[in-house]
Amino acid sequence: MPVRSRLACILLFAAPLANATVSLTTPRVERADTPGYVDVDRPRFSWIVHSDTDGTVQTGYRIIVTHRGATVWDSGDVVGARPFDIEYAGPSLTPGERYEWRADVHTSGGDASVASHFDTALDEAGWHGARWIGKGDDTLPAPLLRKTFRVEGDVARATLYIAAGGYADVSIDGKPVSDAVLGPGFTDYGKRVEVVADEVTLTPGEHTLGAELGRGFYGLTNPNVWHWERAPWHGRPRMRALLRIRFRDGRIEQVISDASWRVADGPTRLDDLYGGEEYDARLALPRAWSAASELPAPAGRLVAQVEQPIRVVDTLDATAVTEPVPGTYVFAFPRVMAGWASFDVSGPAGTTIVARYGEKLLPDGTVDARDEHHYFKQGFQTDRLTLDGGRVRWHPRFSYKGFRYVQVQGWPGGKPAADAIAAQVVHTDVAVTGRFDSDNPLLNWIHGAAVDTMLNNLHGIPTDTPMYEKNGWTGDGMLGAEMFLRNFDADRLLVKWLRDIGDARNAQGAPLLIAPNPGWGDVRAPTWHSAYVFIPWWLWMYAGDRRPIEEHIQGIARYVAMEDARSPEGIADTELGDWVSPETDPGGENAPEDKRVAATAYLYGMERATAAMLRLVGDASGAAPFDASAEKVRAAFNQRFLDRAAARYRGEGDHGYRQAHNLLALAFGLVPDDVKARVAAGVAADAKARGDHLDTGALATKAILPVLTASGRADEAWAIAIQTTFPSWGFWRANGATSLWEHWKLASRSRGHYFLGTIDDWLFGDVAGLRPLEPGWRRFEVRPALTAFLGRASAAVMTPYGEASVAWRKVAGKVEADIVVPVGAEAVVTLPGSPRKVLGSGRHKLTAP
């Protein structure tokens, strides 16, 4: 039992406050609710404390873990205020078993308890010889697999474990075993293969376990510029399955995947993540089945799918159906989304409907479904549905599209009704945990569009456009990571993707441009590769999760040291700089400026972050060289690029004054103190001279408004934020946008891209004034900086301690603020004209004088 001081003992067992109510919610293991496949040796427990008494603090806890009624681990009474990531410290857990746990929590306001359970992952023996199976040829139709089995007796619990190369759409007696789609999750299958576990209901009698296998990225056949069809682990779809049945009389039976299963080509004649699907309803019931083929296992080790499943999260009705060309019908939906169309149609057998998806329309009113960059050789965003003579209700199962419009040709019987096609929104089912609101409609629109656009780009990884690429570009995810963590329960997804980045490193330790990766994009781009360095730190700051740092710090240090070593005299270089600044090609290109400025600024930031993470894990001696390298880079950066007389940063080949150079220098803390104010003034002056417009691409857009605000130029930040002419967010809105675009120009290739939407960071951190000061929001700041320009603003984030929020408004010339501090956290509040206040847990109402 941990040693406690006399004072701690007094606090732990102090009498509760009179009439106080304390409760616990959200019991989690490994940050998930009742996870069914926990594959770590030391699972972590968490809960959230709620109290109706201000100032309540957690003083201690006791965790008891049991298995079949027997205690496995009893932590004893532990003094501690942290309610999350409490590590299991008992004997090794048995694979493939359910464990119950309970937390008895002590607070200054009383005691409370919460209970839940989790299941451990299977070891190899636990798979009971289950084989990887599929079909034995390389033909395109998606295979159907089935196995008939009998249940004799009352079932207490049945669990289905599935791993797949590609996707597995699994059913029992024709009913889906879960509402997850496009799963299990996508990885570098040569390194890791994800497993999902679902509880299923079985009654006595005969049952059929069935699966349809989709190709996903594992078996992609459409030749493309990223060479997914040539990935080292590429192969035909396959599955490994185990159904474990526990009977009330204590018996356990297993149904495993092996050659006793039957296989047939199904009605999905082609599935391609980029091209779409071909479905023939006449073949829904195969006539001939044969023995399934045993296939080699993917080389990657089996791991838990830690990220949330992808699901259909919404269904949208069409707002209009037009006929721009005779016989061609276009369904319009309320907004740009990621997902698919759901069809309800009747017609003669053999009728084929062709559906093309797009985010925008061509001048003639038809859908823009062009592959303008010629990324794909065999189709793009197109489904083909062949009817069987009856009513067909169908939607794709193994591909998703980015779209607002669906164009159909070959529709039987004339113009379709508006309800003949619905749009289903499909993405990783992260909870939306953040909120922002104000009395400015444009800011509210920006936030709403940012949320929708980010969700449209979450499919097991953060992606680059659901229409065109679907790839996990490291720079894009790096730019969006803080937005994801403020707005969503996204930490598990980012933890998973960070492992993908770690898997996708070259022999020298540098990440590649996309992750997972088929062997493409091995170029120097520290601006993009910085995702491997910054995301672990942000997971620590926003989610309080230290394990990603511990898991990756050696790889991070190796990469950053290598990047420093290949930067002569401290000056780095990159293939990718401030991408898609306003004057660039709308298809995407670098800003017309010296990319070494951005590369060196990012190198400096990575060195500082690496040193901080090494110190965090107790390696001060390892941190020292990175601190020294950072100082060397800072000196070289200023010597090479700083024009002291003009107080601006210049590079070779720049086209005029470059906002990005100066913003990145300020954002990373590279500017000498004696010229910092003048450099910031130069950015503001340049924006003012452009009619209060930014001139930034993806990298510097994230910095411009926070840097101007922090430099005392909130007025210019505000003027840029509310612009409605090119280039600005308001320009998009004025031109009918429902989402964020990939470029500032109207000709932007994609209208479903988030990396120019990082103004959302500013909305939370400066407009509402809510930002973390310590890891996990244990201490956070409330400092609204735009009260001169707005009447009210509010924001909320979900922290590991519970929800933290602020809502401020101006009343009779004064600023009032309602602030919620969760139990275990502390808020440092500075309202305009008021001294700083430090608030403990509870609901607080403050008024500035």
Side-chain angles (χ1 to χ4, degrees), residues 11-144:
L11 287 173
L12 180 61
F13 300 109
L17 299 175
N19 301 318
T21 300
V22 175
S23 62
L24 306 181
T25 62
T26 325
R28 287 184 163 183
V29 175
E30 284 303 300
R31 297 173 173 254
D33 303 322
T34 61
Y37 202 81
V38 174
D39 62 354
V40 297
D41 296 329
R42 294 172 293 127
R44 297 166 296 173
F45 304 94
S46 64
W47 53 84
I48 291 176
V49 181
H50 303 271
S51 174
D52 60 4
T53 302
D54 292 351
T56 298
V57 295
Q58 175 181 303
T59 56
Y61 58 85
R62 180 181 183 182
I63 297 174
I64 298 175
V65 177
T66 61
H67 179 235
R68 300 182 186 176
T71 297
V72 175
W73 177 58
D74 184 341
S75 71
D77 286 318
V78 178
V79 173
R82 182 161 55 94
F84 64 94
D85 289 354
I86 310 300
E87 288 190 350
Y88 173 81
S92 296
L93 298 170
T94 304
E97 293 292 331
R98 171 159 293 180
Y99 289 83
E100 292 78 25
W101 67 281
R102 186 182 81 243
D104 299 323
V105 176
H106 311 289
T107 80
S108 59
D111 297 345
S113 297
V114 71
S116 189
H117 64 81
F118 65 97
D119 294 343
T120 53
L122 303 175
D123 59 6
E124 185 55 37
W127 283 93
H128 288 272
R131 312 298 295 177
W132 285 87
I133 61 173
K135 68 177 183 176
D137 61 60
D138 290 322
T139 56
L140 292 176
L144 300 177

Side-chain angles (χ1 to χ4, degrees), residues 241-253:
L242 168 75
L243 175 61
R244 174 175 290 175
I245 308 169
R246 296 180 182 274
F247 293 92
R248 296 194 185 280
D249 61 9
R251 288 179 298 122
I252 299 177
E253 293 183 0

Side-chain angles (χ1 to χ4, degrees), residues 373 579-592 742-745 747-749:
H373 290 264
W579 193 254
V580 296
S581 60
E583 66 268 62
T584 59
D585 186 288
E589 65 180 356
N590 283 310
E742 190 178 15
H743 201 287
W744 298 110
K745 292 178 178 175
S748 173
R749 179 189 68 153

Side-chain angles (χ1 to χ4, degrees), residues 12-364:
L12 180 61
F13 300 109
L17 299 175
N19 301 318
T21 300
V22 175
S23 62
L24 306 181
T25 62
T26 325
R28 287 184 163 183
V29 175
E30 284 303 300
R31 297 173 173 254
D33 303 322
T34 61
Y37 202 81
V38 174
D39 62 354
V40 297
D41 296 329
R42 294 172 293 127
R44 297 166 296 173
F45 304 94
S46 64
W47 53 84
I48 291 176
V49 181
H50 303 271
S51 174
D52 60 4
T53 302
D54 292 351
T56 298
V57 295
Q58 175 181 303
T59 56
Y61 58 85
R62 180 181 183 182
I63 297 174
I64 298 175
V65 177
T66 61
H67 179 235
R68 300 182 186 176
T71 297
V72 175
W73 177 58
D74 184 341
S75 71
D77 286 318
V78 178
V79 173
R82 182 161 55 94
F84 64 94
D85 289 354
I86 310 300
E87 288 190 350
Y88 173 81
S92 296
L93 298 170
T94 304
E97 293 292 331
R98 171 159 293 180
Y99 289 83
E100 292 78 25
W101 67 281
R102 186 182 81 243
D104 299 323
V105 176
H106 311 289
T107 80
S108 59
D111 297 345
S113 297
V114 71
S116 189
H117 64 81
F118 65 97
D119 294 343
T120 53
L122 303 175
D123 59 6
E124 185 55 37
W127 283 93
H128 288 272
R131 312 298 295 177
W132 285 87
I133 61 173
K135 68 177 183 176
D137 61 60
D138 290 322
T139 56
L140 292 176
L144 300 177
L145 294 162
R146 72 178 186 185
K147 171 73 174 182
T148 299
F149 63 96
R150 288 195 63 82
V151 171
E152 301 287 352
D154 293 334
V155 175
R157 181 162 61 93
T159 307
L160 178 64
Y161 302 90
I162 297 289
Y167 298 139
D169 189 7
V170 186
S171 62
I172 293 180
D173 302 330
K175 296 180 180 180
V177 299
S178 80
D179 57 2
V181 298
L182 300 174
F186 158 47
T187 60
D188 176 337
Y189 296 95
K191 304 286 180 63
R192 292 177 299 117
V193 179
E194 293 195 333
V195 180
V196 294
D198 290 295
E199 296 293 304
V200 298
T201 300
L202 293 173
T203 56
E206 187 172 275
H207 299 277
T208 299
L209 181 57
E212 184 176 19
L213 304 185
R215 293 183 172 274
F217 281 102
Y218 182 79
L220 201 72
T221 57
N222 188 350
N224 58 88
V225 297
W226 308 285
H227 309 313
W228 287 108
E229 80 284 3
R230 304 206 305 262
W233 31 258
H234 184 274
R236 69 189 70 148
R238 62 202 65 194
M239 175 188 76
R240 192 185 199 191
L242 168 75
L243 175 61
R244 174 175 290 175
I245 308 169
R246 296 180 182 274
F247 293 92
R248 296 194 185 280
D249 61 9
R251 288 179 298 122
I252 299 177
E253 293 183 0
Q254 325 283 345
V255 179
I256 63 171
S257 52
D258 57 21
S260 69
W261 285 53
R262 310 295 286 171
V263 66
D265 283 346
T268 302
R269 311 307 289 173
L270 170 71
D271 66 281
D272 180 87
L273 268 172
Y274 295 112
E277 299 183 34
E278 297 180 7
Y279 182 89
D280 191 335
R282 298 171 299 180
L283 304 175
L285 297 175
R287 296 179 180 177
W289 294 79
S290 59
S293 294
E294 293 188 7
L295 300 176
R301 63 187 179 90
L302 297 182
V303 300
Q305 178 177 306
V306 296
E307 73 277 16
Q308 297 92 327
I310 299 172
R311 293 189 174 100
V312 176
V313 298
D314 200 3
T315 299
L316 305 180
D317 295 329
T319 56
V321 181
T322 59
E323 189 177 6
V325 177
T328 296
Y329 305 100
V330 174
F331 286 72
F333 294 94
R335 64 177 178 88
V336 171
M337 73 198 85
W340 52 56
S342 177
F343 298 80
D344 186 349
V345 57
S346 300
T351 301
T352 296
I353 299 166
V354 179
R356 292 182 173 86
Y357 299 72
E359 296 173 341
K360 51 191 175 182
L361 299 176
L362 295 169
D364 66 356

Side-chain angles (χ1 to χ4, degrees), residues 701-713:
T701 293
K702 183 176 172 67
I704 187 168
L705 301 185
V707 163
L708 287 173
T709 304
S711 302
R713 290 164 178 82

